[in-house]
């Protein structure tokens, strides 16, 4: 798989290029936003790792230009900008993930693998399925074992996020930014309440419980392993 790295810090860029190459990827490095956009448009990349503060076009502009042209290849922001507003902005523009510097290469590699496992966004089905749970993106309908489940708009968005990233433990901060478009204080229980209501609608009455709480980490939607 081909990965484009758009990073103007030479040491960081080369560190990423070498590490990803050793992990088995074809990795190209470019230090300029305008050049990065050109390569992303014409290089048939499976993933773009994008800094925000770049010469020429900044990362926001590069991503916006890609999405306006209809290109849906995954984009992972890698930046020193750690404000919640920056993370939200990146996700709203269409980024698939956001990792703050300094970072662990092992974590970055794990995130890269998760993103690439999902496949290109342009090939996504309009139906999401996990076990007997189905979510129809076009008709905005959900069913479990063939029976319709009525959800609010927020519950639908929450379930869509969980299903798109099924098997992955999602922290409260990520859920807050992607579903509610904001950051919640640690003592706010809005997410817990919403998750509890969603769990009742999705899992109650079914022998297999798909929505699980991982204590101290977050939530995951997956088929539980048999012991």
């Amino acid at each position: 798989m081909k990965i484009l790295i758009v990073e103007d810090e030479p040491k960081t860029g080369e560190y990423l290029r070498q590490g990803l190459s050793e992990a088995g990827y074809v990795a190209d490095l470019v230090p300029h936003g305008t050049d990065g956009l050109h390569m992303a448009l014409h290089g048939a990349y499976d993933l773009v790792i994008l800094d925000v503060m770049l010469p020429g076009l900044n990362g926001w502009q590069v991503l916006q230009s890609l999405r306006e042209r209809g290109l849906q290849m995954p984009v992972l922001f890698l930046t020193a900008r750690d404000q919640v507003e920056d993370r939200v902005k990146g996700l709203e523009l269409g980024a698939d993930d956001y990792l703050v510097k300094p970072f662990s290469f092992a974590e970055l590699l794990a995130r890269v693998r998760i993103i690439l496992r999902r496949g290109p966004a342009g090939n996504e089905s309009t139906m999401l399925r996990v076990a007997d749970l189905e979510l129809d993106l076009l008709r905005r309908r959900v069913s479990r074992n063939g029976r319709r489940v009525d959800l609010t708009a927020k519950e639908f968005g929450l379930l869509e996020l969980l299903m798109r990233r099924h098997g992955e433990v999602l922290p409260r901060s990520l859920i807050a930014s992607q579903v509610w478009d904001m950051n919640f204080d640690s003592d706010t229980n809005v997410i817990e309440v919403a998750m509890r209501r969603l769990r009742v609608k999705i899992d109650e009455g079914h022998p297999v419980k798909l929505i699980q709480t991982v204590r101290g980490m977050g939530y995951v939607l997956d088929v539980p392993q048999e012991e």
Side-chain angles (χ1 to χ4, degrees):
M1 286 188 165
K2 291 178 63 179
I3 298 177
L4 174 64
I5 305 161
V6 189
E7 170 62 65
D8 66 331
E9 295 180 9
K11 290 184 179 180
T12 301
E14 183 56 32
Y15 172 66
L16 288 170
R17 190 201 64 76
Q18 182 175 345
L20 291 169
S21 296
E22 291 175 355
Y25 299 102
V26 176
D28 294 332
L29 171 64
V30 60
H32 195 280
T34 305
D35 295 339
L37 175 60
H38 178 78
M39 291 184 67
L41 289 172
H42 303 287
Y45 289 97
D46 298 290
L47 171 67
V48 179
I49 297 177
L50 186 61
D51 192 6
V52 173
M53 304 305 294
L54 292 165
L57 297 175
N58 63 38
W60 310 131
Q61 293 169 318
V62 172
L63 177 56
Q64 188 170 9
S65 295
L66 289 175
R67 296 301 186 241
E68 288 175 349
R69 287 168 168 79
L71 272 74
Q72 298 299 321
M73 81 270 283
V75 172
L76 166 64
F77 269 121
L78 182 63
T79 174
R81 298 176 66 108
D82 61 354
Q83 297 298 309
V84 171
E85 293 80 5
D86 293 321
R87 300 186 194 195
V88 171
K89 180 176 181 178
L91 294 169
E92 287 180 340
L93 285 173
D96 294 80
D97 208 344
Y98 194 109
L99 188 59
V100 176
K101 300 175 183 176
F103 61 93
S104 158
F105 183 77
E107 180 182 3
L108 177 131
L109 186 59
R111 295 192 184 206
V112 165
R113 286 170 173 161
I114 288 170
I115 292 172
L116 291 176
R117 277 204 303 267
R118 297 178 208 150
N123 293 334
E124 285 183 336
S125 169
T126 59
M127 292 290 294
L128 301 178
R129 296 181 179 87
V130 178
D132 59 352
L133 176 64
E134 293 188 350
L135 184 148
D136 187 329
L137 293 166
L138 291 181
R139 295 190 297 169
R140 307 292 288 181
R141 290 184 179 178
V142 174
S143 64
R144 179 88 195 261
N145 195 25
R147 298 184 63 178
R148 182 167 175 173
V149 180
D150 292 321
L151 301 179
T152 67
K154 281 289 187 237
E155 289 168 346
F156 188 95
L158 178 57
L159 182 62
E160 180 183 350
L161 174 64
L162 290 166
M163 292 184 71
R164 284 188 183 278
R165 302 179 71 160
H166 79 272
E168 180 183 351
V169 178
L170 304 182
R172 294 172 73 258
S173 58
L174 185 145
I175 294 171
S177 65
Q178 295 215 16
V179 179
W180 278 268
D181 293 330
M182 64 180 293
N183 178 50
F184 284 125
D185 295 331
S186 59
D187 60 350
T188 301
N189 68 345
V190 173
I191 294 174
E192 285 80 0
V193 171
M195 195 67 71
R196 192 158 52 240
R197 290 175 177 169
L198 182 63
R199 184 182 277 121
V200 168
K201 292 184 178 183
I202 297 301
D203 284 339
E204 193 170 82
H206 297 276
V208 177
K209 311 303 182 185
L210 297 176
I211 300 176
Q212 303 155 41
T213 301
V214 182
R215 191 172 300 278
M217 298 179 65
Y219 300 93
V220 60
L221 187 146
D222 204 1
V223 179
Q225 299 292 321
E226 294 185 2
E227 298 183 358

